[in-house]
Amino acid sequence: MNIAIFASGKGSNFCAIVRAIKNGSLSGARISLLVCDNPHALVIRRAKQFKIKTLLVVREDFYNQVSFEQAIIQRLKAEKIDLLVLAGFMRMFSAGFVRSFPRKIINIHPALLPAFKGTKAIRDAFDYGVKITGVTVHFVDALMDHGPIILQETVRVLPQDTLSVLEKKIHTLEHQLYPQALKLVIKKKLKISGRKVVGVTR
Ligand code: GRF
């Protein structure tokens, strides 16, 4: 399966997925493209190290959202991409874009959805004082941080944990959970009914 990873930042999840493919724990997958909207993102350098092509698309360089998304779609088609994997891509897609890739866009969120949506999820959960938070991998629909949940795993917040300790715990879990969830999708192991993932086949 041909994957495009969408990322705007550090790319630690990008690296975790690349590693999982290289060490054989995520077989049947190939990352053909990084899509990045931030020319200064560290993930671009990481893609270069792994010899993965990058499509840099800066929204401000396009007349509107439609032309921005058209440029992305054109390249995804040219690269024959089967699966869009969002890993810290800090931009929403239009409903039309999402509809063009039914059940083909996956996202990771650093909290237990539907709690703590948005870009500051780890901090928001920490500031709220939750005792348990976690990570969610889900299919993307037209709403923000929304869509059928593929996998979720919890992280305990201990009384002595600082925000940076919690961030570390969350990221460590993300790097395990994202390859696991992608494996289920790639191997077509998910049973989906309506808007829910209702089971996993062996
Ligand atoms: C991750 O915490 C992910 O859950 C969120 O954005 C962050 C990306 O981190 N959507 P990285 O660029 O993969 O290090």
Side-chain angles (χ1 to χ4, degrees), residues 9-14 87-88 90 107-110 122 171 174-175:
K10 287 203 302 289
S12 68
N13 282 283
F14 172 86
M90 304 311 274
N107 184 41
I108 188 161
H109 184 73
I122 305 176
H171 293 313
E174 285 188 323
H175 302 158

Side-chain angles (χ1 to χ4, degrees), residues 37 39 41 59 107 109 125 127-128 189-190:
D37 66 339
R59 169 64 183 84
N107 184 41
H109 184 73
D127 288 347
Y128 196 93
K189 296 279 189 194
L190 298 173

Side-chain angles (χ1 to χ4, degrees), residues 174-192:
E174 285 188 323
H175 302 158
Q176 296 160 6
L177 204 67
Y178 217 174
Q180 276 174 33
L182 291 177
K183 191 171 174 179
L184 296 176
V185 175
I186 288 164
K187 304 278 182 217
K188 303 199 182 344
K189 296 279 189 194
L190 298 173
K191 278 193 270 176
I192 302 176

Side-chain angles (χ1 to χ4, degrees), residues 4 6 13 20 39 44 56 62 70 97 99 104 106 113 115 117-118 126 129 137 146 151 157-158 161 165 171 176:
F6 287 62
N13 282 283
I44 294 178
L56 178 64
F62 291 85
Q70 273 311 320
F97 182 95
R99 266 198 307 273
K104 297 277 182 234
I106 294 167
L113 290 176
K117 295 177 180 179
F126 182 81
V137 181
H146 194 269
L151 283 183
V157 188
L158 302 176
D161 285 353
V165 167
H171 293 313
Q176 296 160 6

Side-chain angles (χ1 to χ4, degrees), residues 60-131:
E60 290 69 34
D61 292 346
F62 291 85
Y63 175 64
N64 56 21
Q65 181 72 10
V66 174
S67 54
F68 171 73
E69 291 180 351
Q70 273 311 320
I72 297 174
I73 291 174
Q74 210 174 9
R75 183 65 185 270
L76 296 177
K77 281 194 177 144
E79 301 283 348
K80 298 193 172 23
I81 297 296
D82 305 303
L83 196 64
L84 285 61
V85 172
L86 312 187
F89 191 66
M90 304 311 274
R91 192 168 281 284
M92 284 278 293
F93 289 115
S94 69
F97 182 95
V98 174
R99 266 198 307 273
S100 315
F101 301 99
R103 297 279 187 268
K104 297 277 182 234
I105 312 178
I106 294 167
N107 184 41
I108 188 161
H109 184 73
L112 294 175
L113 290 176
F116 303 110
K117 295 177 180 179
T119 56
K120 304 188 304 339
I122 305 176
R123 176 182 288 275
D124 289 345
F126 182 81
D127 288 347
Y128 196 93
V130 298
K131 306 303 174 215

Side-chain angles (χ1 to χ4, degrees), residues 110-112 116 125 130-135 153-157 166 170:
L112 294 175
F116 303 110
V130 298
K131 306 303 174 215
I132 292 175
T133 179
V135 172
E153 199 59 69
T154 57
V155 163
R156 217 163 253 290
V157 188
L166 179 60
I170 294 278

Side-chain angles (χ1 to χ4, degrees), residues 37-49:
D37 66 339
N38 170 12
H40 309 293
L42 177 59
V43 68
I44 294 178
R45 267 186 277 156
R46 293 184 144 166
K48 223 175 242 165
Q49 283 162 8

